[in-house]
Short mmCIF file of all heavy atoms in Angstrom, two decimals:
data_model
loop_
_atom_site.label_atom_id
_atom_site.label_comp_id
_atom_site.label_asym_id
_atom_site.label_seq_id
_atom_site.Cartn_x
_atom_site.Cartn_y
_atom_site.Cartn_z
N SER T 10 83.30 -52.83 -3.45
CA SER T 10 82.99 -54.19 -3.89
C SER T 10 82.83 -55.10 -2.69
O SER T 10 83.40 -54.86 -1.64
CB SER T 10 84.07 -54.69 -4.83
OG SER T 10 85.26 -54.92 -4.12
N LYS T 11 82.10 -56.15 -2.86
CA LYS T 11 81.86 -57.12 -1.80
C LYS T 11 82.89 -58.23 -1.89
O LYS T 11 82.72 -59.20 -2.61
CB LYS T 11 80.47 -57.73 -1.94
CG LYS T 11 79.33 -56.77 -1.79
CD LYS T 11 78.05 -57.56 -1.99
CE LYS T 11 76.82 -56.69 -1.97
NZ LYS T 11 75.62 -57.48 -2.20
N GLN T 12 83.99 -58.06 -1.17
CA GLN T 12 84.98 -59.12 -1.12
C GLN T 12 85.68 -59.11 0.21
O GLN T 12 85.70 -58.11 0.90
CB GLN T 12 85.97 -59.02 -2.27
CG GLN T 12 86.84 -57.78 -2.27
CD GLN T 12 87.75 -57.75 -3.49
OE1 GLN T 12 87.50 -58.45 -4.47
NE2 GLN T 12 88.79 -56.97 -3.43
N THR T 13 86.25 -60.26 0.56
CA THR T 13 86.97 -60.35 1.82
C THR T 13 88.25 -61.14 1.61
O THR T 13 88.33 -62.01 0.73
CB THR T 13 86.09 -61.00 2.92
OG1 THR T 13 86.76 -60.86 4.16
CG2 THR T 13 85.80 -62.45 2.65
N ASN T 14 89.25 -60.81 2.39
CA ASN T 14 90.54 -61.47 2.33
C ASN T 14 90.57 -62.56 3.40
O ASN T 14 90.30 -62.28 4.57
CB ASN T 14 91.64 -60.43 2.57
CG ASN T 14 93.02 -60.97 2.29
OD1 ASN T 14 93.20 -61.86 1.47
ND2 ASN T 14 94.00 -60.44 2.98
N ILE T 15 90.90 -63.77 3.01
CA ILE T 15 91.00 -64.89 3.92
C ILE T 15 92.47 -65.28 3.98
O ILE T 15 93.08 -65.55 2.94
CB ILE T 15 90.15 -66.08 3.45
CG1 ILE T 15 88.67 -65.67 3.37
CG2 ILE T 15 90.33 -67.29 4.35
CD1 ILE T 15 87.79 -66.65 2.62
N VAL T 16 93.03 -65.29 5.19
CA VAL T 16 94.46 -65.59 5.36
C VAL T 16 94.61 -66.84 6.21
O VAL T 16 93.99 -66.95 7.26
CB VAL T 16 95.19 -64.40 6.04
CG1 VAL T 16 96.66 -64.71 6.21
CG2 VAL T 16 94.99 -63.12 5.24
N VAL T 17 95.44 -67.76 5.74
CA VAL T 17 95.77 -68.96 6.51
C VAL T 17 97.30 -69.06 6.58
O VAL T 17 98.00 -68.71 5.64
CB VAL T 17 95.17 -70.24 5.92
CG1 VAL T 17 93.66 -70.24 6.02
CG2 VAL T 17 95.59 -70.46 4.50
N GLU T 18 97.78 -69.54 7.71
CA GLU T 18 99.21 -69.72 7.89
C GLU T 18 99.45 -71.02 8.64
O GLU T 18 98.77 -71.31 9.62
CB GLU T 18 99.80 -68.54 8.65
CG GLU T 18 101.30 -68.60 8.79
CD GLU T 18 101.89 -67.34 9.40
OE1 GLU T 18 101.13 -66.50 9.94
OE2 GLU T 18 103.12 -67.20 9.35
N PHE T 19 100.39 -71.82 8.15
CA PHE T 19 100.70 -73.09 8.81
C PHE T 19 102.17 -73.41 8.62
O PHE T 19 102.82 -72.92 7.69
CB PHE T 19 99.79 -74.19 8.30
CG PHE T 19 99.50 -74.13 6.83
CD1 PHE T 19 100.33 -74.74 5.91
CD2 PHE T 19 98.40 -73.45 6.36
CE1 PHE T 19 100.07 -74.68 4.56
CE2 PHE T 19 98.11 -73.37 5.00
CZ PHE T 19 98.96 -73.98 4.10
N GLU T 20 102.69 -74.27 9.52
CA GLU T 20 104.12 -74.56 9.57
C GLU T 20 104.57 -75.65 8.61
O GLU T 20 105.72 -75.66 8.18
CB GLU T 20 104.52 -74.94 10.99
CG GLU T 20 104.35 -73.82 11.98
CD GLU T 20 104.74 -74.23 13.39
OE1 GLU T 20 105.20 -75.38 13.59
OE2 GLU T 20 104.57 -73.39 14.30
N ASN T 21 103.69 -76.58 8.27
CA ASN T 21 104.06 -77.70 7.41
C ASN T 21 103.20 -77.69 6.15
O ASN T 21 102.10 -77.14 6.15
CB ASN T 21 103.86 -79.02 8.15
CG ASN T 21 104.69 -79.11 9.41
OD1 ASN T 21 105.88 -78.82 9.39
ND2 ASN T 21 104.06 -79.48 10.51
N ASP T 22 103.68 -78.34 5.10
CA ASP T 22 102.85 -78.51 3.90
C ASP T 22 101.53 -79.13 4.34
O ASP T 22 101.52 -80.03 5.19
CB ASP T 22 103.54 -79.41 2.89
CG ASP T 22 104.80 -78.78 2.30
OD1 ASP T 22 105.13 -77.64 2.68
OD2 ASP T 22 105.44 -79.44 1.46
N SER T 23 100.43 -78.66 3.78
CA SER T 23 99.11 -79.10 4.23
C SER T 23 98.13 -79.24 3.10
O SER T 23 98.19 -78.50 2.11
CB SER T 23 98.53 -78.09 5.23
OG SER T 23 99.35 -77.99 6.37
N ASP T 24 97.21 -80.20 3.25
CA ASP T 24 96.06 -80.28 2.36
C ASP T 24 95.07 -79.23 2.87
O ASP T 24 94.71 -79.22 4.04
CB ASP T 24 95.41 -81.67 2.42
CG ASP T 24 96.30 -82.73 1.79
OD1 ASP T 24 96.98 -82.42 0.79
OD2 ASP T 24 96.33 -83.86 2.31
N VAL T 25 94.66 -78.34 1.97
CA VAL T 25 93.82 -77.20 2.36
C VAL T 25 92.55 -77.19 1.53
O VAL T 25 92.60 -77.28 0.30
CB VAL T 25 94.58 -75.87 2.17
CG1 VAL T 25 93.70 -74.69 2.54
CG2 VAL T 25 95.86 -75.86 2.99
N ALA T 26 91.42 -77.08 2.21
CA ALA T 26 90.12 -76.90 1.54
C ALA T 26 89.43 -75.71 2.21
O ALA T 26 89.30 -75.68 3.43
CB ALA T 26 89.27 -78.14 1.65
N ILE T 27 89.04 -74.74 1.40
CA ILE T 27 88.32 -73.57 1.91
C ILE T 27 87.03 -73.46 1.11
O ILE T 27 87.06 -73.33 -0.11
CB ILE T 27 89.15 -72.28 1.78
CG1 ILE T 27 90.47 -72.43 2.53
CG2 ILE T 27 88.36 -71.09 2.28
CD1 ILE T 27 91.43 -71.26 2.35
N GLU T 28 85.91 -73.53 1.82
CA GLU T 28 84.59 -73.51 1.18
C GLU T 28 83.70 -72.49 1.86
O GLU T 28 83.82 -72.25 3.06
CB GLU T 28 83.94 -74.88 1.25
CG GLU T 28 84.78 -75.96 0.60
CD GLU T 28 84.29 -77.37 0.92
OE1 GLU T 28 83.64 -77.58 1.96
OE2 GLU T 28 84.57 -78.26 0.10
N ILE T 29 82.79 -71.91 1.09
CA ILE T 29 81.83 -70.93 1.60
C ILE T 29 80.43 -71.56 1.56
O ILE T 29 80.04 -72.14 0.54
CB ILE T 29 81.83 -69.63 0.77
CG1 ILE T 29 83.25 -69.06 0.64
CG2 ILE T 29 80.86 -68.61 1.35
CD1 ILE T 29 83.89 -68.59 1.94
N TYR T 30 79.70 -71.41 2.68
CA TYR T 30 78.35 -71.95 2.80
C TYR T 30 77.37 -70.82 3.11
O TYR T 30 77.72 -69.88 3.83
CB TYR T 30 78.28 -72.99 3.93
CG TYR T 30 79.04 -74.24 3.61
CD1 TYR T 30 80.41 -74.32 3.80
CD2 TYR T 30 78.38 -75.36 3.10
CE1 TYR T 30 81.11 -75.47 3.51
CE2 TYR T 30 79.08 -76.52 2.80
CZ TYR T 30 80.45 -76.57 3.00
OH TYR T 30 81.13 -77.71 2.70
N ASN T 31 76.16 -70.95 2.58
CA ASN T 31 75.14 -69.95 2.90
C ASN T 31 74.46 -70.29 4.21
O ASN T 31 74.79 -71.29 4.88
CB ASN T 31 74.12 -69.80 1.75
CG ASN T 31 73.29 -71.04 1.52
OD1 ASN T 31 73.22 -71.96 2.34
ND2 ASN T 31 72.63 -71.09 0.38
N PHE T 32 73.49 -69.47 4.60
CA PHE T 32 72.77 -69.62 5.87
C PHE T 32 72.08 -70.98 5.99
O PHE T 32 71.90 -71.51 7.08
CB PHE T 32 71.74 -68.48 5.98
CG PHE T 32 70.94 -68.52 7.26
CD1 PHE T 32 71.50 -68.06 8.43
CD2 PHE T 32 69.65 -69.01 7.25
CE1 PHE T 32 70.76 -68.09 9.61
CE2 PHE T 32 68.90 -69.03 8.43
CZ PHE T 32 69.46 -68.57 9.61
N TYR T 33 71.73 -71.58 4.83
CA TYR T 33 71.01 -72.85 4.81
C TYR T 33 71.95 -74.06 4.79
O TYR T 33 71.50 -75.19 4.70
CB TYR T 33 70.05 -72.90 3.62
CG TYR T 33 69.05 -71.77 3.65
CD1 TYR T 33 69.19 -70.69 2.81
CD2 TYR T 33 68.00 -71.77 4.57
CE1 TYR T 33 68.29 -69.63 2.87
CE2 TYR T 33 67.11 -70.73 4.63
CZ TYR T 33 67.26 -69.66 3.77
OH TYR T 33 66.36 -68.62 3.83
N GLY T 34 73.26 -73.82 4.85
CA GLY T 34 74.22 -74.90 4.86
C GLY T 34 74.58 -75.43 3.48
O GLY T 34 75.23 -76.48 3.36
N GLN T 35 74.19 -74.71 2.44
CA GLN T 35 74.51 -75.12 1.07
C GLN T 35 75.85 -74.54 0.66
O GLN T 35 76.11 -73.35 0.83
CB GLN T 35 73.43 -74.62 0.10
CG GLN T 35 72.05 -75.14 0.42
CD GLN T 35 70.96 -74.35 -0.29
OE1 GLN T 35 71.01 -73.13 -0.36
NE2 GLN T 35 69.98 -75.05 -0.82
N LYS T 36 76.72 -75.39 0.11
CA LYS T 36 78.01 -74.90 -0.36
C LYS T 36 77.79 -74.05 -1.60
O LYS T 36 77.18 -74.50 -2.57
CB LYS T 36 78.95 -76.07 -0.68
CG LYS T 36 80.34 -75.60 -1.09
CD LYS T 36 81.34 -76.74 -1.14
CE LYS T 36 81.27 -77.46 -2.43
NZ LYS T 36 82.39 -78.41 -2.60
N ILE T 37 78.28 -72.81 -1.57
CA ILE T 37 78.06 -71.91 -2.70
C ILE T 37 79.36 -71.55 -3.42
O ILE T 37 79.32 -71.00 -4.52
CB ILE T 37 77.34 -70.61 -2.25
CG1 ILE T 37 78.17 -69.88 -1.20
CG2 ILE T 37 75.94 -70.92 -1.76
CD1 ILE T 37 77.70 -68.46 -0.96
N ASP T 38 80.50 -71.84 -2.80
CA ASP T 38 81.77 -71.50 -3.44
C ASP T 38 82.88 -72.35 -2.85
O ASP T 38 82.85 -72.73 -1.68
CB ASP T 38 82.09 -70.03 -3.23
CG ASP T 38 82.95 -69.43 -4.33
OD1 ASP T 38 83.48 -70.20 -5.15
OD2 ASP T 38 83.09 -68.20 -4.36
N GLU T 39 83.87 -72.64 -3.68
CA GLU T 39 85.06 -73.34 -3.24
C GLU T 39 86.24 -72.44 -3.57
O GLU T 39 86.51 -72.14 -4.72
CB GLU T 39 85.19 -74.69 -3.94
CG GLU T 39 86.38 -75.50 -3.48
CD GLU T 39 86.42 -76.87 -4.10
OE1 GLU T 39 86.90 -76.98 -5.25
OE2 GLU T 39 85.95 -77.82 -3.45
N ILE T 40 86.95 -71.99 -2.54
CA ILE T 40 88.05 -71.06 -2.71
C ILE T 40 89.36 -71.80 -3.01
O ILE T 40 90.17 -71.36 -3.80
CB ILE T 40 88.24 -70.19 -1.44
CG1 ILE T 40 86.94 -69.53 -1.01
CG2 ILE T 40 89.35 -69.18 -1.60
CD1 ILE T 40 86.38 -68.56 -1.99
N CYS T 41 89.54 -72.93 -2.35
CA CYS T 41 90.80 -73.68 -2.49
C CYS T 41 90.54 -75.14 -2.16
O CYS T 41 89.74 -75.44 -1.27
CB CYS T 41 91.85 -73.09 -1.54
SG CYS T 41 93.42 -73.99 -1.51
N ASN T 42 91.20 -76.03 -2.87
CA ASN T 42 91.15 -77.46 -2.54
C ASN T 42 92.40 -78.11 -3.12
O ASN T 42 92.38 -78.70 -4.19
CB ASN T 42 89.88 -78.11 -3.10
CG ASN T 42 89.72 -79.53 -2.59
OD1 ASN T 42 90.47 -79.99 -1.73
ND2 ASN T 42 88.73 -80.22 -3.11
N THR T 43 93.52 -77.96 -2.40
CA THR T 43 94.80 -78.45 -2.90
C THR T 43 95.81 -78.57 -1.77
O THR T 43 95.53 -78.18 -0.63
CB THR T 43 95.34 -77.49 -4.00
OG1 THR T 43 96.44 -78.09 -4.66
CG2 THR T 43 95.75 -76.15 -3.41
N ASN T 44 96.97 -79.09 -2.08
CA ASN T 44 98.07 -79.15 -1.12
C ASN T 44 98.90 -77.88 -1.28
O ASN T 44 99.26 -77.51 -2.39
CB ASN T 44 98.93 -80.39 -1.37
CG ASN T 44 100.00 -80.55 -0.31
OD1 ASN T 44 101.05 -79.93 -0.38
ND2 ASN T 44 99.72 -81.38 0.68
N LEU T 45 99.17 -77.21 -0.17
CA LEU T 45 99.94 -75.97 -0.20
C LEU T 45 101.20 -76.10 0.64
O LEU T 45 101.21 -76.79 1.67
CB LEU T 45 99.09 -74.81 0.35
CG LEU T 45 97.87 -74.42 -0.46
CD1 LEU T 45 97.08 -73.34 0.27
CD2 LEU T 45 98.27 -73.93 -1.84
N ALA T 46 102.24 -75.40 0.22
CA ALA T 46 103.49 -75.36 0.97
C ALA T 46 103.29 -74.59 2.26
O ALA T 46 102.39 -73.74 2.36
CB ALA T 46 104.58 -74.71 0.12
N SER T 47 104.14 -74.84 3.22
CA SER T 47 104.05 -74.11 4.50
C SER T 47 104.20 -72.62 4.25
O SER T 47 104.75 -72.19 3.26
CB SER T 47 105.14 -74.61 5.45
OG SER T 47 106.42 -74.33 4.91
N GLY T 48 103.67 -71.83 5.20
CA GLY T 48 103.76 -70.37 5.10
C GLY T 48 102.39 -69.72 5.18
O GLY T 48 101.41 -70.33 5.57
N LYS T 49 102.35 -68.45 4.79
CA LYS T 49 101.12 -67.66 4.83
C LYS T 49 100.54 -67.58 3.43
O LYS T 49 101.26 -67.32 2.47
CB LYS T 49 101.41 -66.25 5.35
CG LYS T 49 100.18 -65.40 5.54
CD LYS T 49 100.53 -64.01 6.02
CE LYS T 49 100.70 -63.99 7.52
NZ LYS T 49 100.83 -62.62 8.06
N HIS T 50 99.23 -67.81 3.35
CA HIS T 50 98.55 -67.79 2.05
C HIS T 50 97.33 -66.88 2.14
O HIS T 50 96.61 -66.90 3.13
CB HIS T 50 98.10 -69.21 1.66
CG HIS T 50 99.26 -70.15 1.51
ND1 HIS T 50 99.92 -70.31 0.33
CD2 HIS T 50 99.86 -70.97 2.42
CE1 HIS T 50 100.90 -71.20 0.50
NE2 HIS T 50 100.88 -71.60 1.76
N HIS T 51 97.10 -66.10 1.09
CA HIS T 51 95.99 -65.15 1.02
C HIS T 51 95.02 -65.58 -0.08
O HIS T 51 95.44 -65.91 -1.18
CB HIS T 51 96.49 -63.74 0.71
CG HIS T 51 97.41 -63.18 1.75
ND1 HIS T 51 96.97 -62.35 2.75
CD2 HIS T 51 98.73 -63.37 1.97
CE1 HIS T 51 97.98 -62.02 3.51
NE2 HIS T 51 99.07 -62.64 3.07
N PHE T 52 93.74 -65.53 0.26
CA PHE T 52 92.69 -65.85 -0.71
C PHE T 52 91.65 -64.74 -0.66
O PHE T 52 91.39 -64.17 0.40
CB PHE T 52 92.01 -67.17 -0.37
CG PHE T 52 92.95 -68.34 -0.31
CD1 PHE T 52 93.54 -68.71 0.88
CD2 PHE T 52 93.28 -69.04 -1.45
CE1 PHE T 52 94.43 -69.77 0.95
CE2 PHE T 52 94.16 -70.10 -1.41
CZ PHE T 52 94.75 -70.47 -0.21
N ILE T 53 91.04 -64.45 -1.80
CA ILE T 53 89.99 -63.42 -1.86
C ILE T 53 88.68 -64.11 -2.21
O ILE T 53 88.62 -64.88 -3.17
CB ILE T 53 90.31 -62.37 -2.94
CG1 ILE T 53 91.63 -61.74 -2.65
CG2 ILE T 53 89.18 -61.39 -3.10
CD1 ILE T 53 91.64 -60.34 -2.18
N TRP T 54 87.65 -63.86 -1.39
CA TRP T 54 86.31 -64.33 -1.74
C TRP T 54 85.54 -63.13 -2.26
O TRP T 54 85.32 -62.16 -1.55
CB TRP T 54 85.59 -64.95 -0.54
CG TRP T 54 84.18 -65.40 -0.91
CD1 TRP T 54 83.83 -66.15 -1.98
CD2 TRP T 54 82.99 -65.10 -0.21
NE1 TRP T 54 82.47 -66.36 -1.98
CE2 TRP T 54 81.93 -65.71 -0.90
CE3 TRP T 54 82.70 -64.37 0.94
CZ2 TRP T 54 80.61 -65.63 -0.49
CZ3 TRP T 54 81.38 -64.29 1.35
CH2 TRP T 54 80.35 -64.91 0.64
N ASN T 55 85.12 -63.22 -3.51
CA ASN T 55 84.32 -62.17 -4.13
C ASN T 55 82.85 -62.52 -3.94
O ASN T 55 82.34 -63.47 -4.53
CB ASN T 55 84.68 -62.06 -5.61
CG ASN T 55 83.92 -60.97 -6.31
OD1 ASN T 55 82.99 -60.40 -5.76
ND2 ASN T 55 84.32 -60.66 -7.52
N ALA T 56 82.17 -61.73 -3.12
CA ALA T 56 80.77 -62.00 -2.81
C ALA T 56 79.82 -61.09 -3.58
O ALA T 56 78.66 -60.93 -3.20
CB ALA T 56 80.55 -61.83 -1.31
N SER T 57 80.30 -60.50 -4.68
CA SER T 57 79.47 -59.52 -5.41
C SER T 57 78.20 -60.14 -5.98
O SER T 57 77.23 -59.44 -6.21
CB SER T 57 80.28 -58.87 -6.51
OG SER T 57 80.70 -59.84 -7.46
N GLN T 58 78.18 -61.46 -6.19
CA GLN T 58 76.99 -62.13 -6.73
C GLN T 58 76.07 -62.67 -5.62
O GLN T 58 75.05 -63.28 -5.93
CB GLN T 58 77.41 -63.27 -7.65
CG GLN T 58 78.25 -62.84 -8.83
CD GLN T 58 77.50 -61.89 -9.75
OE1 GLN T 58 76.35 -62.14 -10.10
NE2 GLN T 58 78.14 -60.80 -10.14
N GLN T 59 76.44 -62.44 -4.38
CA GLN T 59 75.67 -62.98 -3.26
C GLN T 59 74.75 -61.92 -2.65
O GLN T 59 75.03 -60.73 -2.70
CB GLN T 59 76.61 -63.50 -2.17
CG GLN T 59 77.60 -64.55 -2.66
CD GLN T 59 76.94 -65.75 -3.30
OE1 GLN T 59 75.87 -66.20 -2.87
NE2 GLN T 59 77.56 -66.27 -4.34
N GLU T 60 73.66 -62.41 -2.07
CA GLU T 60 72.72 -61.52 -1.39
C GLU T 60 73.28 -61.14 -0.03
O GLU T 60 74.17 -61.81 0.50
CB GLU T 60 71.38 -62.22 -1.22
CG GLU T 60 70.69 -62.53 -2.53
CD GLU T 60 69.33 -63.18 -2.32
OE1 GLU T 60 68.79 -63.08 -1.19
OE2 GLU T 60 68.82 -63.77 -3.26
N LYS T 61 72.73 -60.09 0.54
CA LYS T 61 73.10 -59.70 1.91
C LYS T 61 72.76 -60.84 2.85
O LYS T 61 71.76 -61.53 2.67
CB LYS T 61 72.34 -58.46 2.35
CG LYS T 61 72.70 -57.21 1.59
CD LYS T 61 71.87 -56.04 2.06
CE LYS T 61 72.20 -54.80 1.27
NZ LYS T 61 71.38 -53.65 1.67
N GLY T 62 73.62 -61.06 3.84
CA GLY T 62 73.33 -62.11 4.80
C GLY T 62 74.58 -62.66 5.44
O GLY T 62 75.68 -62.16 5.28
N VAL T 63 74.37 -63.75 6.19
CA VAL T 63 75.44 -64.41 6.92
C VAL T 63 75.90 -65.64 6.15
O VAL T 63 75.08 -66.43 5.68
CB VAL T 63 74.95 -64.82 8.33
CG1 VAL T 63 76.03 -65.58 9.08
CG2 VAL T 63 74.51 -63.60 9.12
N TYR T 64 77.19 -65.81 6.05
CA TYR T 64 77.81 -66.93 5.38
C TYR T 64 78.86 -67.54 6.30
O TYR T 64 79.36 -66.87 7.19
CB TYR T 64 78.46 -66.49 4.05
CG TYR T 64 77.44 -65.97 3.07
CD1 TYR T 64 77.00 -64.66 3.13
CD2 TYR T 64 76.90 -66.80 2.10
CE1 TYR T 64 76.04 -64.18 2.25
CE2 TYR T 64 75.96 -66.33 1.21
CZ TYR T 64 75.52 -65.02 1.29
OH TYR T 64 74.58 -64.56 0.41
N MET T 65 79.18 -68.79 6.08
CA MET T 65 80.21 -69.46 6.86
C MET T 65 81.35 -69.88 5.94
O MET T 65 81.11 -70.40 4.84
CB MET T 65 79.64 -70.70 7.56
CG MET T 65 78.55 -70.40 8.57
SD MET T 65 79.03 -69.27 9.88
CE MET T 65 80.17 -70.27 10.79
N CYS T 66 82.56 -69.65 6.41
CA CYS T 66 83.75 -70.09 5.71
C CYS T 66 84.31 -71.28 6.47
O CYS T 66 84.68 -71.16 7.63
CB CYS T 66 84.77 -68.96 5.63
SG CYS T 66 86.33 -69.46 4.88
N LYS T 67 84.35 -72.43 5.81
CA LYS T 67 84.89 -73.65 6.42
C LYS T 67 86.29 -73.86 5.87
O LYS T 67 86.48 -73.95 4.64
CB LYS T 67 84.01 -74.85 6.07
CG LYS T 67 84.56 -76.18 6.54
CD LYS T 67 83.65 -77.30 6.05
CE LYS T 67 84.30 -78.64 6.20
NZ LYS T 67 83.54 -79.69 5.52
N MET T 68 87.27 -73.92 6.75
CA MET T 68 88.66 -74.15 6.36
C MET T 68 89.12 -75.46 6.96
O MET T 68 89.09 -75.64 8.18
CB MET T 68 89.54 -73.02 6.87
CG MET T 68 89.18 -71.68 6.25
SD MET T 68 90.19 -70.34 6.86
CE MET T 68 89.43 -70.07 8.46
N GLU T 69 89.49 -76.38 6.10
CA GLU T 69 90.00 -77.67 6.55
C GLU T 69 91.48 -77.74 6.22
O GLU T 69 91.88 -77.65 5.06
CB GLU T 69 89.24 -78.81 5.87
CG GLU T 69 89.60 -80.15 6.43
CD GLU T 69 88.68 -81.26 5.94
OE1 GLU T 69 87.63 -80.95 5.35
OE2 GLU T 69 89.02 -82.42 6.17
N LEU T 70 92.32 -77.85 7.26
CA LEU T 70 93.76 -77.96 7.11
C LEU T 70 94.16 -79.34 7.61
O LEU T 70 94.10 -79.61 8.81
CB LEU T 70 94.48 -76.87 7.91
CG LEU T 70 94.04 -75.44 7.60
CD1 LEU T 70 94.55 -74.48 8.66
CD2 LEU T 70 94.53 -75.05 6.23
N ASN T 71 94.51 -80.22 6.68
CA ASN T 71 94.74 -81.62 6.99
C ASN T 71 93.48 -82.16 7.66
O ASN T 71 92.44 -82.21 7.03
CB ASN T 71 96.01 -81.83 7.79
CG ASN T 71 97.25 -81.50 6.97
OD1 ASN T 71 97.29 -81.78 5.78
ND2 ASN T 71 98.23 -80.90 7.59
N SER T 72 93.49 -82.51 8.92
CA SER T 72 92.27 -83.05 9.54
C SER T 72 91.61 -82.06 10.49
O SER T 72 90.60 -82.38 11.10
CB SER T 72 92.61 -84.34 10.30
OG SER T 72 93.56 -84.06 11.32
N GLU T 73 92.14 -80.84 10.61
CA GLU T 73 91.53 -79.83 11.47
C GLU T 73 90.54 -78.99 10.69
O GLU T 73 90.82 -78.55 9.58
CB GLU T 73 92.60 -78.89 12.03
CG GLU T 73 93.53 -79.51 13.03
CD GLU T 73 94.50 -78.50 13.60
OE1 GLU T 73 94.18 -77.28 13.65
OE2 GLU T 73 95.60 -78.91 13.96
N ILE T 74 89.38 -78.73 11.31
CA ILE T 74 88.36 -77.93 10.66
C ILE T 74 88.14 -76.64 11.48
O ILE T 74 87.98 -76.71 12.70
CB ILE T 74 87.04 -78.69 10.51
CG1 ILE T 74 87.24 -79.88 9.58
CG2 ILE T 74 85.93 -77.77 9.98
CD1 ILE T 74 86.04 -80.78 9.46
N HIS T 75 88.15 -75.52 10.80
CA HIS T 75 87.92 -74.22 11.43
C HIS T 75 86.82 -73.53 10.64
O HIS T 75 86.73 -73.67 9.42
CB HIS T 75 89.19 -73.35 11.38
CG HIS T 75 90.38 -74.00 11.97
ND1 HIS T 75 90.69 -73.92 13.30
CD2 HIS T 75 91.34 -74.79 11.42
CE1 HIS T 75 91.80 -74.60 13.54
NE2 HIS T 75 92.21 -75.15 12.41
N THR T 76 85.99 -72.78 11.34
CA THR T 76 84.93 -72.00 10.64
C THR T 76 84.98 -70.55 11.12
O THR T 76 85.31 -70.27 12.26
CB THR T 76 83.53 -72.57 10.91
OG1 THR T 76 83.29 -72.57 12.31
CG2 THR T 76 83.36 -73.96 10.35
N ILE T 77 84.66 -69.67 10.18
CA ILE T 77 84.52 -68.26 10.52
C ILE T 77 83.22 -67.75 9.90
O ILE T 77 82.78 -68.25 8.86
CB ILE T 77 85.71 -67.39 10.07
CG1 ILE T 77 85.94 -67.51 8.57
CG2 ILE T 77 86.96 -67.73 10.84
CD1 ILE T 77 86.98 -66.57 8.02
N LYS T 78 82.61 -66.79 10.56
CA LYS T 78 81.36 -66.20 10.07
C LYS T 78 81.72 -65.00 9.20
O LYS T 78 82.56 -64.18 9.56
CB LYS T 78 80.49 -65.77 11.24
CG LYS T 78 79.17 -65.17 10.81
CD LYS T 78 78.18 -64.99 11.95
CE LYS T 78 78.75 -64.22 13.12
NZ LYS T 78 77.74 -63.93 14.14
N LEU T 79 81.07 -64.92 8.04
CA LEU T 79 81.22 -63.79 7.13
C LEU T 79 79.88 -63.11 6.96
O LEU T 79 78.86 -63.80 6.85
CB LEU T 79 81.73 -64.27 5.76
CG LEU T 79 83.00 -65.11 5.75
CD1 LEU T 79 83.25 -65.67 4.37
CD2 LEU T 79 84.20 -64.26 6.20
N ILE T 80 79.85 -61.79 6.97
CA ILE T 80 78.61 -61.05 6.79
C ILE T 80 78.73 -60.20 5.54
O ILE T 80 79.66 -59.41 5.41
CB ILE T 80 78.31 -60.17 8.01
CG1 ILE T 80 78.17 -61.06 9.25
CG2 ILE T 80 77.06 -59.33 7.79
CD1 ILE T 80 78.01 -60.29 10.54
N VAL T 81 77.79 -60.38 4.62
CA VAL T 81 77.73 -59.58 3.40
C VAL T 81 76.69 -58.50 3.61
O VAL T 81 75.54 -58.78 3.92
CB VAL T 81 77.39 -60.46 2.19
CG1 VAL T 81 77.21 -59.60 0.94
CG2 VAL T 81 78.46 -61.51 1.96
N LEU T 82 77.11 -57.27 3.48
CA LEU T 82 76.21 -56.12 3.65
C LEU T 82 75.78 -55.54 2.34
O LEU T 82 76.42 -55.61 1.35
CB LEU T 82 76.91 -55.03 4.49
CG LEU T 82 77.39 -55.49 5.87
CD1 LEU T 82 78.18 -54.40 6.54
CD2 LEU T 82 76.22 -55.89 6.73
#
């Protein structure tokens, strides 16, 4: 199956937003958008409905933004 595990870990309670964007910059999925307690959190993105290609995962933790590249084969 086409899925990936996304893991985030932080020391303090945090507002967390995790979104998936396609190659064209269009938001295609929202994995999380809530306040989470400190610790390690696991999320699964199921890409079975997506075409092969490159996607970006944008993770916003409070005011910090991180991105990772995801490749669907």
Side-chain angles (χ1 to χ4, degrees):
S10 70
K11 296 179 184 178
Q12 64 182 19
T13 190
N14 190 29
I15 299 166
V16 180
V17 293
E18 185 173 11
F19 38 88
E20 295 179 3
N21 301 311
D22 293 0
S23 298
D24 291 324
V25 178
I27 302 174
E28 301 169 335
I29 307 295
Y30 291 83
N31 66 15
F32 181 78
Y33 302 104
Q35 300 164 317
K36 184 169 84 170
I37 60 167
D38 208 349
E39 182 175 83
I40 308 296
C41 175
N42 189 7
T43 191
N44 185 277
L45 295 175
S47 63
K49 185 181 277 189
H50 299 272
H51 297 263
F52 302 93
I53 302 251
W54 179 49
N55 182 349
S57 62
Q58 300 298 313
Q59 304 303 323
E60 296 182 17
K61 293 178 182 178
V63 176
Y64 296 84
M65 297 302 290
C66 175
K67 174 184 167 190
M68 296 179 282
E69 187 170 348
L70 305 167
N71 293 323
S72 61
E73 290 183 28
I74 296 175
H75 305 272
T76 58
I77 57 173
K78 181 168 54 173
L79 307 172
I80 299 174
V81 175
L82 303 174

